[in-house]
Amino acid sequence: MTLDAPTHYADRLCSLIRAKKTPLIVGLDPRCEQLPPSMLAGHGSLVPLAIQAQLYQQFCCEIIDAVHRLIPAVKPQAAFFEQLGPAGMMALANVIEHAKSVGLMVILDAKRGDIGSTAVAYAAAYLGARPLSPWGCDALTVNPYLGEDSLEPFVTAAKKNNAGIYVLAKTSNPGSRTLQEKIVDGQPVYSHIADLLQSMAQSTIGDSGYGIVGAVVGATYPEQLWALRQQMRNTLLLIPGYGAQGGTAADVAGGFDEQGQGAVINSSRGIIFAYERREYRAIKDWQVAVAQATQDSIAEIASETRAGRISDSVIQ
Amino acid sequence: MTLDAPTHYADRLCSLIRAKKTPLIVGLDPRCEQLPPSMLAGHGSLVPLAIQAQLYQQFCCEIIDAVHRLIPAVKPQAAFFEQLGPAGMMALANVIEHAKSVGLMVILDAKRGDIGSTAVAYAAAYLGARPLSPWGCDALTVNPYLGEDSLEPFVTAAKKNNAGIYVLAKTSNPGSRTLQEKIVDGQPVYSHIADLLQSMAQSTIGDSGYGIVGAVVGATYPEQLWALRQQMRNTLLLIPGYGAQGGTAADVAGGFDEQGQGAVINSSRGIIFAYERREYRAIKDWQVAVAQATQDSIAEIASETRAGRISDSVIQ
């Protein structure tokens, strides 16, 4: 055992989860029509893309400032920045840099996936620290449809750059049934993917007991989440679908191991647009509403899940 | 029948294929280390990202100038531009705009895929004309792992903006076996996806007999390509894997319908880096080598496939 800060992705994440005493992460999914009225004031109903990009950057950076002491990581959603064209991509880069500068880990939700040298390019783009990686993320979500050889370049880059990936296994939408739940050799497709991910996680394991290959498993199917946790003992889980998508703290409970570790729970809309929610409307500053919603979600998760035991059980 | 230019995506593409008398499209996959030596001259071995982005833009725009009279469309690969960070994304936008300005259709190969409002954001980002869509592409490649409801926002946006999508069915890599060839209810996963795509294509059909939902099917599995052409009668095929990946003109022959229509064949490395190939090394200007390789590929495809009959058979 060493006193140096861990460099292995899973070790870094688990260490931050213990330090912050919560597995909650905040999803940065900005939308122009839901920005705080104070930010939109003075702009007409048709805000030019370049201005929208500036507003997204300001909004996300202020959220980061409001919550960075409370949580281990943020998860920007690439699509909302891509929607604004190149100006949005510049805003995304600045948001990632700001999050890193205040000690947050950054999991970019971009669901990339391709083969050969194209997968190498995606991995080089997103995984690792600046300036080697221009986007400089700690982890990236990846789509497995193209198969095992399409995942390998991401794993190679992640290993080299102390980064991680989360591969889609069982997503939170009803349409996940179309393909992910189809039965092959007696088990659903997502379970075959889970076997593959567990083997990749095992071969990249760190001191935390987790590998650098994780899985995305939605909060909206709690029984499958529980089963996948048992099936993938060394695989970090990224659990979307908590909060606005309908998943409760009880629903995500099955995603943790006996020490309350091994998973991060993402909440996006319920937190970043908290000022729109009835229970927070009385709060004058939108940033305070965001921080309060974060604290409330942390408390809710802690009270209903084994993750509530993190602070007591795993002081190493 | 009308004399107006067609607006439906498949009708536009089929009309351009007839006008150019070839289904060949050129993939724009720039890589710094393979740029023409004349472009790299004066730059050290470590070219800054912003300069690389300028070089990518110049390289792709010069390729477009060299080949735009010969082919119906180009297919930029997003990953290589994303690898350069925000500067690369700006270059990508400029390359797309330049291709459109000289009458080429643009199929962006970005393999996006997500659920709900995130899929809506991706679709709004890429599908349709500028300035409504900041990237302004005619079509986008899409990953089906998240299921039917994840495809619908793309179809809705494509319908509204006279655009199209190509959903991954059977990809050209060996690892496509991991998931795509798994047998479900007696048929492989890719064939279930094909059924879904054919039904989406049928419900968005144009005068050409093709819908706005297409499929990506690799050239490296010719028998599967032939079978999928029969299974998806109204579905445009985007066929990668021709040329550098090993697919021959004979291999792609099965992708066309009886009129030599219904598919585009992509070639990237074999064309854009033609000046590195022995047979073109004697050509002084790299742009001329690129144009020559394009003409040679067009001739090869015409001589070995039913697409060679396009010019004779389907003057409507």
Side-chain angles (χ1 to χ4, degrees), chain A residues 189-273:
Chain A
V189 161
Y190 69 78
S191 174
H192 288 277
I193 297 291
D195 284 339
L196 175 63
L197 300 182
Q198 168 60 13
S199 120
M200 289 176 148
Q202 267 184 318
S203 70
T204 57
I205 207 163
D207 295 338
S208 58
Y210 287 96
I212 64 174
V213 176
V216 176
V217 182
T220 45
Y221 300 98
E223 283 157 39
Q224 294 167 343
L225 174 60
W226 185 88
L228 285 168
R229 170 76 291 157
Q230 311 311 309
Q231 188 183 346
M232 297 188 281
R233 295 256 172 206
N234 307 102
T235 309
L236 290 169
L237 303 184
L238 166 58
I239 307 178
Y242 169 75
Q245 277 187 59
T248 67
D251 290 336
V252 302
F256 299 96
D257 65 20
E258 292 71 14
Q259 281 76 42
Q261 276 280 10
V264 287
I265 312 297
N266 181 73
S267 179
S268 302
R269 282 171 279 173
I271 286 179
I272 67 172
F273 304 126

Side-chain angles (χ1 to χ4, degrees), chain A residues 31 77 82-83 111-112 114 117-118 121-122 126 134-135 143 145-149 169 173 175 178 180 182, chain B residues 31 77 82-83 111-112 114 117-118 121-122 126 134-135 143 145-149 169 173 175 178 180 184:
Chain A
R31 279 157 231 227
Q77 172 50 257
E82 290 177 62
Q83 193 178 0
K111 299 187 175 65
R112 296 302 194 253
D114 213 306
S117 60
T118 311
Y122 276 132
Y126 293 107
W135 302 97
N143 187 310
Y145 187 74
L146 288 98
E148 188 168 357
D149 60 3
N173 56 318
T178 305
Q180 298 164 28
K182 288 263 192 291
Chain B
R31 279 157 232 224
Q77 172 50 259
E82 290 178 61
Q83 193 178 358
K111 299 186 174 65
R112 298 301 195 252
D114 213 307
S117 60
T118 311
Y122 276 132
Y126 293 106
W135 302 97
N143 188 310
Y145 188 74
L146 289 99
E148 187 168 356
D149 60 3
N173 57 317
T178 305
Q180 298 164 26
V184 175

Side-chain angles (χ1 to χ4, degrees), chain B residues 194 197-199 201 209-211 213-215 229 232-237 262:
Chain B
L197 300 182
Q198 168 59 14
S199 118
Y210 288 97
V213 176
R229 170 75 291 158
M232 298 189 280
R233 295 255 172 208
N234 308 103
T235 309
L236 290 170
L237 303 184

Side-chain angles (χ1 to χ4, degrees), chain A residues 118-155:
Chain A
T118 311
V120 171
Y122 276 132
Y126 293 107
L127 295 175
R130 285 191 184 184
L132 213 63
S133 151
W135 302 97
C137 304
D138 295 286
L140 180 72
T141 56
V142 174
N143 187 310
Y145 187 74
L146 288 98
E148 188 168 357
D149 60 3
S150 76
L151 302 178
E152 282 158 8
F154 289 98
V155 179

Side-chain angles (χ1 to χ4, degrees), chain A residues 36-117:
Chain A
S38 60
M39 286 183 63
L40 287 171
H43 298 289
S45 58
L46 267 180
V47 187
L49 290 184
I51 304 291
Q52 282 189 49
Q54 286 174 16
L55 294 176
Y56 277 22
Q57 181 177 323
Q58 183 193 339
F59 177 64
C60 293
C61 289
E62 291 199 35
I63 288 171
I64 288 167
D65 291 340
V67 304
H68 77 275
R69 286 193 181 78
L70 306 172
I71 56 170
V74 287
K75 181 176 79 66
Q77 172 50 257
F80 296 111
F81 296 91
E82 290 177 62
Q83 193 178 0
L84 303 185
M89 299 310 274
M90 178 59 81
L92 174 62
N94 292 337
V95 167
I96 292 169
E97 187 167 35
H98 185 63
K100 301 283 294 176
S101 75
V102 297
L104 287 169
M105 289 177 74
V106 175
I107 301 168
L108 183 65
D109 196 355
K111 299 187 175 65
R112 296 302 194 253
D114 213 306
I115 63 175
S117 60

